Amino acid sequence: VFAAAIDALGTENGFDFIIRSITDTAKVHKRRGISKQNFVDLRSVVVEVVSEVSRLDDEGKQAWNDLFDTIYHVIFNVLDEAKKIHKK
């Protein structure tokens, strides 16, 4: 997903492709029972590991957190929508 998203940057309909890819990923993870907390836990591990391996400064760490904020906004909307549908 990440490689395809990077390739789509700056292309026609690239943004739509990226959102669709993240949405599809969220749907698959929802079916597998992955919760918001699981995503939050993953985020902290990834940011920690990338920070250590890449020796990121505060700006670099913030960039990674901003990336996760954006991706998780889409994913959490899908998870929340699925909850609404199952409550009906």
Side-chain angles (χ1 to χ4, degrees), residues 25-83:
T25 299
K27 289 176 181 177
V28 168
H29 283 74
K30 175 62 182 165
R31 285 194 302 266
R32 293 180 178 166
I34 306 300
S35 68
K36 283 184 181 182
Q37 186 59 50
N38 295 137
F39 281 104
V40 170
D41 294 342
L42 175 66
R43 172 193 194 138
S44 57
V45 170
V46 169
V47 172
E48 179 182 331
V49 169
V50 170
S51 295
E52 288 178 17
V53 170
S54 301
R55 296 187 175 116
L56 295 179
D57 59 11
D58 288 341
E59 185 178 354
K61 290 176 190 174
Q62 187 58 52
W64 275 91
N65 278 299
D66 290 348
L67 172 65
F68 274 101
D69 285 345
T70 303
I71 293 170
Y72 283 6
H73 174 76
V74 175
I75 291 173
F76 289 176
N77 281 338
V78 170
L79 297 179
D80 289 343
E81 189 60 34
K83 264 189 196 174

Side-chain angles (χ1 to χ4, degrees), residues 17-33:
F17 173 80
I18 293 167
I19 297 300
R20 216 173 24 256
S21 296
I22 295 169
T23 300
D24 291 346
T25 299
K27 289 176 181 177
V28 168
H29 283 74
K30 175 62 182 165
R31 285 194 302 266
R32 293 180 178 166

